[in-house]
Amino acid sequence: MYIIFLGAPGSGKGTQAASVARELGLAHIASGDLLRQAIERGNELGLKIKACMEKGILVADELAIQVVLERVSAPDCHNGVILDGFPRNLNQVEALDKALAQQSKAIDWVVYIKVSEEELIKRLSGRWVCRNCQTSYHSQSSPPRVQDRCDLCGGELTRRPDDTAETVGKRLMVYFTETAPLIDYYTQGGKLLEVAGEGSIAEVGSRIITALRGRELIAG
Ligand code: ADP
Ligand code: ZN
């Protein structure tokens, strides 16, 4: 089972992808996390990635494609995966389709989490993320129980360096110009499942599970 989670920065796709992956027993592959891990290695490639991320632009396709496809070919991905943040443009779509076709596989569904632009800006500008387990919090709508500490693991909460007002605007622009065309592409392919992304994390999560159940992907 190969499912893509599609949505703007701040749509909640990362949170939802992680919980649906747990529920379905699939690997969760977040391109942003893979790229951040590459930065941690501290080499020249890492510096290039970091510069793109801080500007809010996409890293080079070749690189994103290589990092993600390598991960998708790992043994824990044989039953399928949930892809989060990839593909992000039509070039990446093509590379993914080709790689899956070589293994006689294909994308089954694309879960598109739709959120208004106004709400996206609000969410991103108050976002805090656990340094340890990547859980997100929002200073107004979902603050942690203890200031600066993760409710789940006690880890330290930090701002993502690309959540500054300036970079947020750029990331949204990149999303609308480069990634949003994928919505039409997957609609035409009959694969798009659109889910309203406003409401609580649990509400959105149950909408996603309902949409997937409607496609008889999950017994239930
Ligand atoms: P968000 O979608 O909330 O902005 P991500 O962690 O998915 O967060 O992505 C953060 C940054 O990582 C992007 O702004 C971009 O620079 C880079 N990135 C992530 N995925 C890709 C991709 N598939 N192709 C190119 N760049 C990517
Ligand atoms: Zn945590």
Side-chain angles (χ1 to χ4, degrees):
M1 195 183 328
Y2 288 79
I3 305 174
I4 292 169
F5 273 52
L6 189 61
S11 61
K13 71 179 155 36
T15 306
Q16 298 296 345
S19 83
V20 173
R22 254 193 319 272
E23 193 147 336
L24 303 186
L26 297 173
H28 170 211
I29 298 180
S31 54
D33 290 347
L34 293 175
L35 293 168
R36 277 183 286 274
Q37 282 163 21
I39 294 178
E40 299 283 316
R41 282 179 216 127
N43 54 21
E44 200 177 328
L45 186 62
L47 289 175
K48 270 193 203 150
I49 298 173
K50 186 163 182 255
C52 291
M53 277 199 181
E54 281 175 357
K55 282 190 214 130
I57 59 176
L58 298 186
V59 312
D61 279 339
E62 295 153 62
L63 188 69
I65 289 166
Q66 192 201 326
V67 166
V68 173
L69 292 184
E70 207 173 282
R71 178 69 187 87
V72 170
S73 65
D76 66 320
C77 296
H78 284 164
N79 290 329
V81 296
I82 292 198
L83 286 170
D84 160 13
F86 184 95
R88 238 177 169 89
N89 60 29
L90 290 166
N91 198 18
Q92 295 181 8
V93 166
E94 211 177 290
L96 176 65
D97 284 349
K98 221 161 110 191
L100 290 178
Q102 275 169 7
Q103 307 171 48
S104 314
K105 288 172 178 156
I107 293 299
D108 297 288
W109 299 109
V110 178
V111 174
Y112 164 47
I113 305 181
K114 188 174 182 176
V115 174
S116 74
E117 194 173 351
E118 196 192 342
E119 173 74 11
L120 293 171
I121 294 170
K122 224 189 290 171
R123 287 186 186 180
L124 291 168
S125 48
R127 176 158 80 172
W128 289 80
V129 185
C130 172
R131 200 187 269 286
N132 187 39
C133 75
Q134 269 75 50
T135 299
S136 300
Y137 296 85
H138 191 280
S139 48
Q140 259 113 53
S141 57
S142 55
R145 284 194 292 268
V146 177
Q147 207 190 345
D148 301 335
R149 289 285 151 197
C150 176
D151 290 355
L152 300 183
C153 76
E156 185 195 355
L157 301 187
T158 54
R159 297 300 316 266
R160 254 174 56 173
D162 58 350
D163 277 349
T164 60
E166 201 188 13
T167 308
V168 161
K170 180 70 186 171
R171 279 158 63 209
L172 289 174
M173 208 173 85
V174 168
Y175 169 78
F176 286 112
T177 54
E178 300 194 41
T179 310
L182 272 53
I183 298 168
D184 278 347
Y185 175 83
Y186 287 119
T187 301
Q188 278 158 24
K191 295 188 173 171
L192 201 84
L193 304 175
E194 183 177 307
V195 171
E198 280 159 52
S200 72
I201 291 173
E203 276 162 2
V204 177
S206 75
R207 282 179 208 139
I208 294 172
I209 295 293
T210 304
L212 289 169
R213 273 206 184 114
R215 306 294 150 152
E216 295 175 7
L217 253 181
I218 323 173

